[in-house]
Amino acid sequence: MFQTLSDTSEPNHPIATTATSPPPQQAPAAPLVATSFLDYGTRPLRYGQRLFMTYAWLVLKNVIGWLLILFSLPAGALLPGPGGIPMFLIGFAMISFPGKRKLTARVARGKPIPKNSLTYQWGVAITCVVAPMAFLLYVYIQRDDPWVKPLLHLCGADRHGIVYVAAYILLAGALWVLLWPGRTLINWGLQIVARIRRKVRPLLRRYGVDLLPARRRRRRLTADGPFQREPDSEILEIHERHYRTASIAWNRSKPWLRRALGVVITAVIFFWIFKPIHKQWPVVSEQMRDTNPMRFLIASVMFGLFLAFRAISWRRILIGLGHRVPVAPAIRIWSTSELARYLPGAIWQVVGRMYLVRPYGVSGSVSSTSQVLELTVFLLANVIIAAGCFLYFGVKVNEEARPWLYASMALVPTLAALLHPQIFYGIVDRVMARLKRPTLADRLGGWALIRMLGRILVALLWQNAAVFILVQPVLDLKIDHWWTVSAAYCLAWCAGFLAFWAPGGIGVREIVFIGAMSVVLPEQTLASLQGENRVALLGFLAILLRLWTFVGEILLTAIAYLFDYRGALNLPGAKGRVVRDRSLPAGQVDLA
């Protein structure tokens, strides 16, 4: 890695003293070590984290170095003055290979190549052997190209293989003739490089970059301590202020870069979905018009009831953890926090529910644990539905469904093991200990979780019936194929939930739904939809289902606020809220 230019000078060694006068106390000097922007983080890293980050930075800086080297050529043509030389030097300093400093020092100082240099002779010989071989191999691979094929036919290479041998000998000989006397031209170029270095080096040093710094030697860190060899510097030394600035800029921009990346991925996915819809609109518009507004309203009400059941399931978890929140406030808090998942960032749903449920006496640790437990059970239920449906299609009907089957079945044992009380609460206890929070006093047992999983499985069948009511007239499906829609939608929900960069799984859920439906739809339906027509119609259904979920969530939230307006407005007498009685001792509360 790069070295850092230190602002402090090295301390002198203590002088020899007599036996009667003790040596003065002097703090040992800190050794100079190779540093990078990793050393200027906001928190210390563990050994494993530092080892991973070190090797990751090693790979990344080599990639950046080669990119700077490649872009230095066009930059030299655009920038005035030295052009792309500083960019090339920085890129060359970042890449790693043995003997780089020695080679760089030789070139930068303009040291000529000796007349009888064995290294130069071997380099010319290897180039003459390897370069023609690589060129002819490329020509052979591109022999069907419209530009290459006539040339090969003219030379007879397509009829006689001996032509390649003759071409190899001619190219090798031509390279030998050009490179062998080229030592004089290279030495002349080295002299020019030395002149450029004398102009560029002061400019770089002015901006905190030292080109070819002096090597450091072994020295004592204390008067009677052992010798310690300081690490040899690289061909460039970067001042520590640049590392500090880069670290601060990275820490500040990292959240925004993550959000921007999520927005870009979502925009690309929606562009891929909307493009065939726009292109094939005259063909598939008739099927899209089969969408019935009454069916949409019925399906939205059914989905709202399903979400209410999910909110009650979360309330049951809170009761198992020792907090009995009334039904109406629980539904209002759950539905409001679910809408917060559409905001950029993955924490607003968790933080919002913690904030809303706190007036009811629920601590932040209990709230976050209940959310993780509810989402894990719900995710397992979706995976079971998807795996069960794809198991039928993958084994008995369509071989193309088997990859989707394996992907869904792989999560079943993992989630089931995670929900085991000993494993789940063991993880929760460790997290609470790291956060210096008290452990949970009340816990749900294994049978309670199994019963909750069974109820959620039944509720998912209700949700998938609503999905089938919505998409049936567009795809003209029979009632026997409602399993296809169940498998596709449950798998799409799982993918959207696991896509942490997409708020609410926007974009990811839609594209997985399109891919899954393209596999499990009946053969006659797939035969009627070919190419972009299929993508356009399924993309329209995916967007329609996104709108359906949003309408169902808004309906449930509006009804919940209507029944619990006192709790929403923090009015006196709101049911279930924890109020502080000033006549009670500190730390004791009374339930309204």
Side-chain angles (χ1 to χ4, degrees), residues 170-190:
L170 290 175
L171 290 175
L175 280 177
W176 182 270
V177 171
L178 290 175
L179 295 178
W180 186 254
R183 183 179 57 85
T184 305
L185 183 61
I186 295 176
N187 290 336
W188 177 74
L190 290 175

Side-chain angles (χ1 to χ4, degrees), residues 490-535:
C490 288
L491 186 66
W493 186 91
C494 295
F497 174 77
L498 297 175
F500 58 90
W501 67 86
I506 295 178
V508 179
R509 185 189 302 178
E510 284 73 18
I511 196 171
V512 174
F513 178 80
I514 294 172
M517 289 290 286
S518 301
V519 173
V520 300
L521 280 177
E523 294 184 359
Q524 59 271 20
T525 304
L526 293 176
S528 62
L529 300 173
Q530 298 294 334
E532 291 189 351
N533 294 345
R534 180 190 308 174
V535 178

Side-chain angles (χ1 to χ4, degrees), residues 557-565:
T557 306
I559 295 174
Y561 272 84
L562 180 64
F563 280 89
D564 189 43
Y565 69 94

Side-chain angles (χ1 to χ4, degrees), residues 325 328-336 355-357 359-360 556-577:
V325 180
I331 296 177
R332 175 182 60 82
I333 293 169
W334 186 91
S335 59
T336 305
Y355 174 78
L356 292 174
V357 81
Y360 295 87
L556 177 64
T557 306
I559 295 174
Y561 272 84
L562 180 64
F563 280 89
D564 189 43
Y565 69 94
R566 287 184 174 274
L569 297 177
N570 197 16
L571 297 177
K575 186 178 180 180
R577 294 178 69 90

Side-chain angles (χ1 to χ4, degrees), residues 207-393:
Y207 291 99
V209 180
D210 190 9
L211 176 62
L212 288 176
R215 292 179 179 269
R216 294 186 174 93
R217 301 176 181 178
R218 296 195 310 164
R219 62 186 65 187
R220 293 181 186 270
L221 298 181
T222 59
D224 54 351
F227 281 100
Q228 180 170 346
R229 182 176 178 83
E230 297 174 351
D232 289 331
S233 58
E234 283 279 358
I235 65 172
L236 285 181
E237 283 185 355
I238 308 297
H239 199 278
E240 63 179 6
R241 69 173 182 270
H242 295 300
Y243 289 111
R244 190 179 298 111
T245 302
S247 178
I248 295 174
W250 169 252
N251 291 328
R252 290 180 178 177
S253 62
K254 183 166 57 175
W256 297 101
L257 290 176
R258 187 181 303 167
R259 295 168 188 170
L261 181 61
V263 171
V264 170
I265 295 175
T266 304
V268 171
I269 292 175
F270 271 99
F271 175 78
W272 180 83
I273 294 175
F274 277 105
K275 183 179 179 181
I277 296 176
H278 173 74
K279 189 175 181 181
Q280 302 296 327
W281 179 257
V283 180
V284 299
S285 58
E286 293 297 329
Q287 292 174 291
M288 293 180 181
R289 293 192 184 98
D290 292 335
T291 304
N292 192 333
M294 184 56 64
R295 282 177 173 260
F296 183 85
L297 181 60
I298 294 174
S300 299
V301 173
M302 293 177 65
F303 185 69
L305 294 175
F306 166 75
L307 294 178
F309 180 82
R310 280 192 60 188
I312 295 174
S313 299
W314 172 68
R315 177 179 176 268
R316 288 177 178 269
I317 295 176
L318 286 180
I319 294 175
L321 297 179
H323 297 272
R324 184 174 293 275
V325 180
V327 176
I331 296 177
R332 175 182 60 82
I333 293 169
W334 186 91
S335 59
T336 305
S337 63
E338 282 294 301
L339 290 176
R341 75 183 190 275
Y342 291 107
L343 298 176
I347 64 171
W348 300 113
Q349 180 181 1
V350 178
V351 174
R353 193 176 302 184
M354 290 172 58
Y355 174 78
L356 292 174
V357 81
R358 183 174 297 173
Y360 295 87
V362 181
S363 62
S365 58
V366 174
S367 175
S368 57
T369 304
S370 65
Q371 293 184 68
V372 173
L373 194 56
E374 179 228 341
L375 289 173
T376 306
V377 174
F378 188 65
L379 180 62
L380 178 59
N382 277 272
V383 170
I384 291 175
I385 294 291
C389 298
F390 277 112
L391 183 63
Y392 172 79
F393 288 102

